[in-house]
mmCIF file of all heavy atoms in Angstrom:
data_model
loop_
_atom_site.group_PDB
_atom_site.id
_atom_site.type_symbol
_atom_site.label_atom_id
_atom_site.label_comp_id
_atom_site.label_asym_id
_atom_site.label_seq_id
_atom_site.Cartn_x
_atom_site.Cartn_y
_atom_site.Cartn_z
ATOM 1 N N GLY Y 117 0.851 -1.204 -0.006
ATOM 2 C CA GLY Y 117 -0.007 -0.001 0.004
ATOM 3 C C GLY Y 117 0.875 1.246 -0.003
ATOM 4 O O GLY Y 117 1.975 1.256 0.557
ATOM 5 N N LYS Y 118 0.403 2.307 -0.614
ATOM 6 C CA LYS Y 118 1.196 3.501 -0.798
ATOM 7 C C LYS Y 118 1.694 4.091 0.526
ATOM 8 O O LYS Y 118 0.914 4.289 1.471
ATOM 9 C CB LYS Y 118 0.396 4.559 -1.549
ATOM 10 C CG LYS Y 118 1.189 5.802 -1.909
ATOM 11 C CD LYS Y 118 0.389 6.763 -2.752
ATOM 12 C CE LYS Y 118 1.208 7.996 -3.122
ATOM 13 N NZ LYS Y 118 0.437 8.935 -3.955
ATOM 14 N N GLY Y 119 3.012 4.326 0.596
ATOM 15 C CA GLY Y 119 3.618 4.946 1.748
ATOM 16 C C GLY Y 119 3.909 4.016 2.913
ATOM 17 O O GLY Y 119 4.427 4.470 3.942
ATOM 18 N N LYS Y 120 3.614 2.723 2.784
ATOM 19 C CA LYS Y 120 3.832 1.775 3.879
ATOM 20 C C LYS Y 120 5.107 0.945 3.655
ATOM 21 O O LYS Y 120 5.547 0.769 2.519
ATOM 22 C CB LYS Y 120 2.626 0.858 4.024
ATOM 23 C CG LYS Y 120 1.351 1.611 4.413
ATOM 24 C CD LYS Y 120 0.190 0.674 4.600
ATOM 25 C CE LYS Y 120 -1.079 1.441 5.009
ATOM 26 N NZ LYS Y 120 -2.239 0.547 5.211
ATOM 27 N N TYR Y 121 5.651 0.446 4.775
ATOM 28 C CA TYR Y 121 6.886 -0.324 4.742
ATOM 29 C C TYR Y 121 6.673 -1.730 5.287
ATOM 30 O O TYR Y 121 5.779 -1.961 6.127
ATOM 31 C CB TYR Y 121 7.981 0.352 5.577
ATOM 32 C CG TYR Y 121 8.513 1.647 5.029
ATOM 33 C CD1 TYR Y 121 7.870 2.847 5.306
ATOM 34 C CD2 TYR Y 121 9.650 1.678 4.240
ATOM 35 C CE1 TYR Y 121 8.358 4.057 4.820
ATOM 36 C CE2 TYR Y 121 10.153 2.869 3.751
ATOM 37 C CZ TYR Y 121 9.508 4.059 4.038
ATOM 38 O OH TYR Y 121 9.990 5.236 3.555
ATOM 39 N N GLN Y 122 7.528 -2.628 4.856
ATOM 40 C CA GLN Y 122 7.609 -3.956 5.456
ATOM 41 C C GLN Y 122 9.083 -4.308 5.612
ATOM 42 O O GLN Y 122 9.880 -4.127 4.695
ATOM 43 C CB GLN Y 122 6.925 -5.007 4.578
ATOM 44 C CG GLN Y 122 7.059 -6.423 5.118
ATOM 45 C CD GLN Y 122 6.320 -7.427 4.299
ATOM 46 O OE1 GLN Y 122 5.116 -7.591 4.407
ATOM 47 N NE2 GLN Y 122 7.039 -8.109 3.415
ATOM 48 N N PHE Y 123 9.429 -4.821 6.785
ATOM 49 C CA PHE Y 123 10.813 -5.237 7.061
ATOM 50 C C PHE Y 123 10.806 -6.693 7.500
ATOM 51 O O PHE Y 123 10.086 -7.072 8.426
ATOM 52 C CB PHE Y 123 11.465 -4.363 8.135
ATOM 53 C CG PHE Y 123 12.884 -4.727 8.431
ATOM 54 C CD1 PHE Y 123 13.875 -4.556 7.467
ATOM 55 C CD2 PHE Y 123 13.234 -5.252 9.664
ATOM 56 C CE1 PHE Y 123 15.185 -4.915 7.730
ATOM 57 C CE2 PHE Y 123 14.545 -5.589 9.931
ATOM 58 C CZ PHE Y 123 15.529 -5.420 8.972
ATOM 59 N N GLU Y 124 11.604 -7.514 6.828
ATOM 60 C CA GLU Y 124 11.689 -8.946 7.126
ATOM 61 C C GLU Y 124 13.118 -9.320 7.514
ATOM 62 O O GLU Y 124 14.083 -8.847 6.902
ATOM 63 C CB GLU Y 124 11.290 -9.783 5.922
ATOM 64 C CG GLU Y 124 9.861 -9.632 5.454
ATOM 65 C CD GLU Y 124 9.616 -10.473 4.218
ATOM 66 O OE1 GLU Y 124 9.341 -11.678 4.357
ATOM 67 O OE2 GLU Y 124 9.712 -9.916 3.108
ATOM 68 N N VAL Y 125 13.238 -10.196 8.490
ATOM 69 C CA VAL Y 125 14.505 -10.856 8.806
ATOM 70 C C VAL Y 125 14.243 -12.348 8.834
ATOM 71 O O VAL Y 125 13.441 -12.828 9.636
ATOM 72 C CB VAL Y 125 15.063 -10.381 10.161
ATOM 73 C CG1 VAL Y 125 16.374 -11.131 10.462
ATOM 74 C CG2 VAL Y 125 15.309 -8.878 10.160
ATOM 75 N N ASN Y 126 14.887 -13.074 7.931
ATOM 76 C CA ASN Y 126 14.675 -14.510 7.807
ATOM 77 C C ASN Y 126 15.983 -15.262 8.031
ATOM 78 O O ASN Y 126 17.037 -14.847 7.540
ATOM 79 C CB ASN Y 126 14.144 -14.854 6.403
ATOM 80 C CG ASN Y 126 12.833 -14.133 6.117
ATOM 81 O OD1 ASN Y 126 12.000 -14.004 6.991
ATOM 82 N ND2 ASN Y 126 12.689 -13.645 4.889
ATOM 83 N N ALA Y 127 15.913 -16.348 8.781
ATOM 84 C CA ALA Y 127 17.086 -17.168 9.098
ATOM 85 C C ALA Y 127 16.887 -18.569 8.569
ATOM 86 O O ALA Y 127 15.762 -19.060 8.431
ATOM 87 C CB ALA Y 127 17.333 -17.187 10.607
ATOM 88 N N SER Y 128 17.985 -19.243 8.288
ATOM 89 C CA SER Y 128 17.903 -20.625 7.784
ATOM 90 C C SER Y 128 19.129 -21.439 8.196
ATOM 91 O O SER Y 128 20.189 -20.903 8.503
ATOM 92 C CB SER Y 128 17.791 -20.632 6.261
ATOM 93 O OG SER Y 128 18.966 -20.117 5.683
ATOM 94 N N TYR Y 129 18.922 -22.739 8.207
ATOM 95 C CA TYR Y 129 20.014 -23.679 8.396
ATOM 96 C C TYR Y 129 19.790 -24.823 7.417
ATOM 97 O O TYR Y 129 18.730 -25.461 7.416
ATOM 98 C CB TYR Y 129 20.017 -24.205 9.827
ATOM 99 C CG TYR Y 129 21.029 -25.319 10.038
ATOM 100 C CD1 TYR Y 129 22.372 -25.038 10.248
ATOM 101 C CD2 TYR Y 129 20.624 -26.658 9.996
ATOM 102 C CE1 TYR Y 129 23.294 -26.053 10.418
ATOM 103 C CE2 TYR Y 129 21.542 -27.681 10.162
ATOM 104 C CZ TYR Y 129 22.877 -27.368 10.370
ATOM 105 O OH TYR Y 129 23.796 -28.386 10.537
ATOM 106 N N GLY Y 130 20.774 -25.082 6.554
ATOM 107 C CA GLY Y 130 20.638 -26.112 5.542
ATOM 108 C C GLY Y 130 21.775 -27.094 5.568
ATOM 109 O O GLY Y 130 22.895 -26.778 5.995
ATOM 110 N N LYS Y 131 21.499 -28.331 5.126
ATOM 111 C CA LYS Y 131 22.558 -29.345 5.038
ATOM 112 C C LYS Y 131 22.321 -30.233 3.816
ATOM 113 O O LYS Y 131 21.175 -30.473 3.419
ATOM 114 C CB LYS Y 131 22.627 -30.176 6.311
ATOM 115 C CG LYS Y 131 21.396 -30.998 6.629
ATOM 116 C CD LYS Y 131 21.609 -31.779 7.918
ATOM 117 C CE LYS Y 131 20.404 -32.662 8.243
ATOM 118 N NZ LYS Y 131 20.642 -33.466 9.466
ATOM 119 N N ASP Y 132 23.431 -30.698 3.247
ATOM 120 C CA ASP Y 132 23.376 -31.522 2.049
ATOM 121 C C ASP Y 132 24.420 -32.619 2.160
ATOM 122 O O ASP Y 132 25.442 -32.463 2.858
ATOM 123 C CB ASP Y 132 23.624 -30.663 0.810
ATOM 124 C CG ASP Y 132 23.125 -31.327 -0.457
ATOM 125 O OD1 ASP Y 132 22.101 -32.028 -0.388
ATOM 126 O OD2 ASP Y 132 23.749 -31.138 -1.512
ATOM 127 N N ARG Y 133 24.197 -33.743 1.462
ATOM 128 C CA ARG Y 133 25.104 -34.895 1.538
ATOM 129 C C ARG Y 133 25.227 -35.522 0.165
ATOM 130 O O ARG Y 133 24.229 -35.745 -0.517
ATOM 131 C CB ARG Y 133 24.555 -35.905 2.533
ATOM 132 C CG ARG Y 133 25.346 -37.199 2.659
ATOM 133 C CD ARG Y 133 24.699 -38.106 3.698
ATOM 134 N NE ARG Y 133 25.376 -39.387 3.819
ATOM 135 C CZ ARG Y 133 25.111 -40.446 3.058
ATOM 136 N NH1 ARG Y 133 24.190 -40.371 2.121
ATOM 137 N NH2 ARG Y 133 25.780 -41.570 3.225
ATOM 138 N N ILE Y 134 26.460 -35.774 -0.255
ATOM 139 C CA ILE Y 134 26.751 -36.453 -1.511
ATOM 140 C C ILE Y 134 27.668 -37.628 -1.214
ATOM 141 O O ILE Y 134 28.713 -37.455 -0.575
ATOM 142 C CB ILE Y 134 27.436 -35.537 -2.539
ATOM 143 C CG1 ILE Y 134 26.700 -34.213 -2.677
ATOM 144 C CG2 ILE Y 134 27.541 -36.216 -3.886
ATOM 145 C CD1 ILE Y 134 27.462 -33.206 -3.501
ATOM 146 N N ALA Y 135 27.287 -38.822 -1.647
ATOM 147 C CA ALA Y 135 28.079 -40.009 -1.375
ATOM 148 C C ALA Y 135 28.397 -40.744 -2.672
ATOM 149 O O ALA Y 135 27.525 -40.929 -3.536
ATOM 150 C CB ALA Y 135 27.335 -40.930 -0.416
ATOM 151 N N ASP Y 136 29.680 -41.175 -2.808
ATOM 152 C CA ASP Y 136 30.102 -41.933 -3.980
ATOM 153 C C ASP Y 136 31.510 -42.440 -3.709
ATOM 154 O O ASP Y 136 32.272 -41.828 -2.944
ATOM 155 C CB ASP Y 136 30.094 -41.056 -5.232
ATOM 156 C CG ASP Y 136 30.298 -41.874 -6.510
ATOM 157 O OD1 ASP Y 136 29.983 -43.066 -6.468
ATOM 158 O OD2 ASP Y 136 30.751 -41.304 -7.505
ATOM 159 N N ALA Y 137 31.862 -43.551 -4.323
ATOM 160 C CA ALA Y 137 33.231 -44.077 -4.265
ATOM 161 C C ALA Y 137 33.699 -44.269 -2.827
ATOM 162 O O ALA Y 137 34.878 -44.126 -2.511
ATOM 163 C CB ALA Y 137 34.209 -43.150 -5.003
ATOM 164 N N GLY Y 138 32.779 -44.621 -1.914
ATOM 165 C CA GLY Y 138 33.169 -44.880 -0.538
ATOM 166 C C GLY Y 138 33.460 -43.637 0.262
ATOM 167 O O GLY Y 138 33.913 -43.711 1.399
ATOM 168 N N SER Y 139 33.192 -42.458 -0.301
ATOM 169 C CA SER Y 139 33.446 -41.203 0.397
ATOM 170 C C SER Y 139 32.173 -40.376 0.437
ATOM 171 O O SER Y 139 31.321 -40.468 -0.454
ATOM 172 C CB SER Y 139 34.551 -40.415 -0.311
ATOM 173 O OG SER Y 139 34.828 -39.223 0.363
ATOM 174 N N THR Y 140 32.025 -39.574 1.492
ATOM 175 C CA THR Y 140 30.837 -38.756 1.654
ATOM 176 C C THR Y 140 31.238 -37.310 1.901
ATOM 177 O O THR Y 140 32.091 -37.035 2.756
ATOM 178 C CB THR Y 140 29.986 -39.237 2.849
ATOM 179 O OG1 THR Y 140 29.572 -40.585 2.609
ATOM 180 C CG2 THR Y 140 28.750 -38.346 3.006
ATOM 181 N N VAL Y 141 30.653 -36.414 1.133
ATOM 182 C CA VAL Y 141 30.876 -34.973 1.324
ATOM 183 C C VAL Y 141 29.601 -34.390 1.940
ATOM 184 O O VAL Y 141 28.508 -34.578 1.415
ATOM 185 C CB VAL Y 141 31.191 -34.263 -0.003
ATOM 186 C CG1 VAL Y 141 31.288 -32.743 0.218
ATOM 187 C CG2 VAL Y 141 32.495 -34.780 -0.595
ATOM 188 N N ARG Y 142 29.771 -33.681 3.052
ATOM 189 C CA ARG Y 142 28.657 -33.041 3.745
ATOM 190 C C ARG Y 142 28.851 -31.528 3.716
ATOM 191 O O ARG Y 142 29.932 -31.047 4.027
ATOM 192 C CB ARG Y 142 28.552 -33.551 5.173
ATOM 193 C CG ARG Y 142 28.143 -35.023 5.281
ATOM 194 C CD ARG Y 142 28.058 -35.458 6.735
ATOM 195 N NE ARG Y 142 27.500 -36.797 6.864
ATOM 196 C CZ ARG Y 142 28.216 -37.911 6.765
ATOM 197 N NH1 ARG Y 142 29.516 -37.829 6.527
ATOM 198 N NH2 ARG Y 142 27.646 -39.100 6.888
ATOM 199 N N THR Y 143 27.798 -30.836 3.367
ATOM 200 C CA THR Y 143 27.827 -29.379 3.329
ATOM 201 C C THR Y 143 26.745 -28.841 4.263
ATOM 202 O O THR Y 143 25.607 -29.285 4.215
ATOM 203 C CB THR Y 143 27.572 -28.844 1.917
ATOM 204 O OG1 THR Y 143 28.534 -29.409 1.020
ATOM 205 C CG2 THR Y 143 27.701 -27.335 1.879
ATOM 206 N N VAL Y 144 27.112 -27.921 5.113
ATOM 207 C CA VAL Y 144 26.138 -27.258 5.987
ATOM 208 C C VAL Y 144 26.305 -25.755 5.821
ATOM 209 O O VAL Y 144 27.354 -25.264 5.443
ATOM 210 C CB VAL Y 144 26.342 -27.653 7.463
ATOM 211 C CG1 VAL Y 144 26.097 -29.129 7.670
ATOM 212 C CG2 VAL Y 144 27.702 -27.236 7.964
ATOM 213 N N GLY Y 145 25.230 -25.040 6.112
ATOM 214 C CA GLY Y 145 25.291 -23.588 5.997
ATOM 215 C C GLY Y 145 24.136 -22.939 6.708
ATOM 216 O O GLY Y 145 23.127 -23.575 7.004
ATOM 217 N N SER Y 146 24.301 -21.676 7.015
ATOM 218 C CA SER Y 146 23.231 -20.908 7.628
ATOM 219 C C SER Y 146 23.297 -19.494 7.063
ATOM 220 O O SER Y 146 24.289 -19.104 6.461
ATOM 221 C CB SER Y 146 23.358 -20.895 9.154
ATOM 222 O OG SER Y 146 24.606 -20.321 9.542
ATOM 223 N N GLY Y 147 22.222 -18.751 7.271
ATOM 224 C CA GLY Y 147 22.227 -17.394 6.714
ATOM 225 C C GLY Y 147 21.133 -16.549 7.314
ATOM 226 O O GLY Y 147 20.173 -17.036 7.924
ATOM 227 N N LEU Y 148 21.290 -15.241 7.134
ATOM 228 C CA LEU Y 148 20.281 -14.258 7.482
ATOM 229 C C LEU Y 148 19.999 -13.395 6.262
ATOM 230 O O LEU Y 148 20.939 -13.034 5.545
ATOM 231 C CB LEU Y 148 20.771 -13.360 8.635
ATOM 232 C CG LEU Y 148 20.805 -13.962 10.042
ATOM 233 C CD1 LEU Y 148 21.458 -12.960 10.988
ATOM 234 C CD2 LEU Y 148 19.407 -14.310 10.526
ATOM 235 N N VAL Y 149 18.744 -13.090 6.033
ATOM 236 C CA VAL Y 149 18.366 -12.220 4.927
ATOM 237 C C VAL Y 149 17.519 -11.087 5.478
ATOM 238 O O VAL Y 149 16.512 -11.328 6.142
ATOM 239 C CB VAL Y 149 17.585 -12.970 3.841
ATOM 240 C CG1 VAL Y 149 17.133 -12.014 2.751
ATOM 241 C CG2 VAL Y 149 18.428 -14.085 3.240
ATOM 242 N N ALA Y 150 17.932 -9.852 5.220
ATOM 243 C CA ALA Y 150 17.152 -8.677 5.613
ATOM 244 C C ALA Y 150 16.538 -8.067 4.368
ATOM 245 O O ALA Y 150 17.235 -7.797 3.388
ATOM 246 C CB ALA Y 150 18.042 -7.659 6.313
ATOM 247 N N ASN Y 151 15.224 -7.861 4.389
ATOM 248 C CA ASN Y 151 14.496 -7.344 3.218
ATOM 249 C C ASN Y 151 13.660 -6.156 3.638
ATOM 250 O O ASN Y 151 12.842 -6.251 4.569
ATOM 251 C CB ASN Y 151 13.609 -8.447 2.624
ATOM 252 C CG ASN Y 151 12.843 -7.972 1.407
ATOM 253 O OD1 ASN Y 151 11.997 -7.103 1.493
ATOM 254 N ND2 ASN Y 151 13.145 -8.545 0.260
ATOM 255 N N LEU Y 152 13.852 -5.024 2.976
ATOM 256 C CA LEU Y 152 13.047 -3.825 3.219
ATOM 257 C C LEU Y 152 12.235 -3.525 1.979
ATOM 258 O O LEU Y 152 12.782 -3.364 0.887
ATOM 259 C CB LEU Y 152 13.946 -2.641 3.550
ATOM 260 C CG LEU Y 152 13.206 -1.312 3.831
ATOM 261 C CD1 LEU Y 152 12.309 -1.437 5.055
ATOM 262 C CD2 LEU Y 152 14.206 -0.170 3.990
ATOM 263 N N THR Y 153 10.897 -3.451 2.136
ATOM 264 C CA THR Y 153 9.975 -3.179 1.048
ATOM 265 C C THR Y 153 9.215 -1.892 1.304
ATOM 266 O O THR Y 153 8.772 -1.637 2.433
ATOM 267 C CB THR Y 153 8.975 -4.333 0.889
ATOM 268 O OG1 THR Y 153 9.691 -5.560 0.635
ATOM 269 C CG2 THR Y 153 8.018 -4.084 -0.249
ATOM 270 N N TYR Y 154 9.034 -1.094 0.260
ATOM 271 C CA TYR Y 154 8.312 0.177 0.370
ATOM 272 C C TYR Y 154 7.181 0.213 -0.657
ATOM 273 O O TYR Y 154 7.392 -0.136 -1.820
ATOM 274 C CB TYR Y 154 9.247 1.351 0.135
ATOM 275 C CG TYR Y 154 8.539 2.688 0.037
ATOM 276 C CD1 TYR Y 154 7.957 3.273 1.169
ATOM 277 C CD2 TYR Y 154 8.437 3.365 -1.178
ATOM 278 C CE1 TYR Y 154 7.291 4.493 1.095
ATOM 279 C CE2 TYR Y 154 7.792 4.589 -1.268
ATOM 280 C CZ TYR Y 154 7.219 5.154 -0.126
ATOM 281 O OH TYR Y 154 6.571 6.350 -0.212
ATOM 282 N N GLY Y 155 5.992 0.633 -0.209
ATOM 283 C CA GLY Y 155 4.867 0.756 -1.127
ATOM 284 C C GLY Y 155 4.919 2.075 -1.883
ATOM 285 O O GLY Y 155 4.514 3.113 -1.366
ATOM 286 N N ALA Y 156 5.405 2.018 -3.116
ATOM 287 C CA ALA Y 156 5.497 3.240 -3.934
ATOM 288 C C ALA Y 156 4.131 3.684 -4.426
ATOM 289 O O ALA Y 156 3.901 4.863 -4.694
ATOM 290 C CB ALA Y 156 6.433 3.010 -5.108
ATOM 291 N N ALA Y 157 3.200 2.733 -4.541
ATOM 292 C CA ALA Y 157 1.811 3.005 -4.910
ATOM 293 C C ALA Y 157 0.981 1.874 -4.341
ATOM 294 O O ALA Y 157 1.518 0.902 -3.789
ATOM 295 C CB ALA Y 157 1.671 3.100 -6.426
ATOM 296 N N GLU Y 158 -0.340 1.967 -4.465
ATOM 297 C CA GLU Y 158 -1.194 0.934 -3.880
ATOM 298 C C GLU Y 158 -0.876 -0.446 -4.431
ATOM 299 O O GLU Y 158 -0.950 -1.447 -3.722
ATOM 300 C CB GLU Y 158 -2.667 1.260 -4.114
ATOM 301 C CG GLU Y 158 -3.183 2.384 -3.250
ATOM 302 C CD GLU Y 158 -3.059 2.084 -1.756
ATOM 303 O OE1 GLU Y 158 -3.368 0.928 -1.367
ATOM 304 O OE2 GLU Y 158 -2.658 2.974 -1.001
ATOM 305 N N ALA Y 159 -0.516 -0.526 -5.709
ATOM 306 C CA ALA Y 159 -0.273 -1.821 -6.343
ATOM 307 C C ALA Y 159 1.186 -1.973 -6.789
ATOM 308 O O ALA Y 159 1.495 -2.845 -7.607
ATOM 309 C CB ALA Y 159 -1.193 -1.991 -7.543
ATOM 310 N N LEU Y 160 2.085 -1.154 -6.245
ATOM 311 C CA LEU Y 160 3.497 -1.188 -6.660
ATOM 312 C C LEU Y 160 4.415 -1.126 -5.449
ATOM 313 O O LEU Y 160 4.369 -0.161 -4.676
ATOM 314 C CB LEU Y 160 3.801 -0.042 -7.603
ATOM 315 C CG LEU Y 160 5.266 0.097 -8.049
ATOM 316 C CD1 LEU Y 160 5.687 -1.110 -8.875
ATOM 317 C CD2 LEU Y 160 5.467 1.398 -8.849
ATOM 318 N N ASP Y 161 5.247 -2.148 -5.289
ATOM 319 C CA ASP Y 161 6.265 -2.175 -4.239
ATOM 320 C C ASP Y 161 7.649 -2.090 -4.861
ATOM 321 O O ASP Y 161 7.878 -2.579 -5.985
ATOM 322 C CB ASP Y 161 6.197 -3.498 -3.453
ATOM 323 C CG ASP Y 161 5.108 -3.514 -2.414
ATOM 324 O OD1 ASP Y 161 4.449 -2.470 -2.208
ATOM 325 O OD2 ASP Y 161 4.877 -4.588 -1.811
ATOM 326 N N VAL Y 162 8.593 -1.526 -4.115
ATOM 327 C CA VAL Y 162 10.016 -1.598 -4.456
ATOM 328 C C VAL Y 162 10.723 -2.186 -3.250
ATOM 329 O O VAL Y 162 10.273 -2.007 -2.102
ATOM 330 C CB VAL Y 162 10.608 -0.233 -4.830
ATOM 331 C CG1 VAL Y 162 10.000 0.272 -6.121
ATOM 332 C CG2 VAL Y 162 10.397 0.780 -3.716
ATOM 333 N N PHE Y 163 11.824 -2.895 -3.466
ATOM 334 C CA PHE Y 163 12.480 -3.583 -2.353
ATOM 335 C C PHE Y 163 13.992 -3.641 -2.551
ATOM 336 O O PHE Y 163 14.514 -3.526 -3.655
ATOM 337 C CB PHE Y 163 11.928 -5.000 -2.181
ATOM 338 C CG PHE Y 163 12.233 -5.921 -3.343
ATOM 339 C CD1 PHE Y 163 13.440 -6.592 -3.446
ATOM 340 C CD2 PHE Y 163 11.303 -6.106 -4.357
ATOM 341 C CE1 PHE Y 163 13.722 -7.426 -4.522
ATOM 342 C CE2 PHE Y 163 11.552 -6.939 -5.439
ATOM 343 C CZ PHE Y 163 12.776 -7.599 -5.511
#
């Protein structure tokens, strides 16, 4: 909506595993994402 804001903070934790030839590779990771959105018009946001 025009003139309004939204602020998001999202966190995650991910893991992956690949196995072959008797060996296993494990990958883990985490992250934070900050997103700021502004209503430039009733039907238009910018972020």
Side-chain angles (χ1 to χ4, degrees):
K118 186 175 181 179
K120 296 182 180 181
Y121 291 86
Q122 176 177 280
F123 181 66
E124 296 177 84
V125 178
N126 301 321
S128 65
Y129 173 81
K131 63 179 182 178
D132 200 34
R133 176 179 178 273
I134 310 171
D136 190 25
S139 181
T140 300
V141 175
R142 293 180 172 85
T143 304
V144 297
S146 59
L148 286 174
V149 176
N151 181 295
L152 180 63
T153 301
Y154 172 70
E158 286 300 317
L160 176 65
D161 281 354
V162 294
F163 65 84

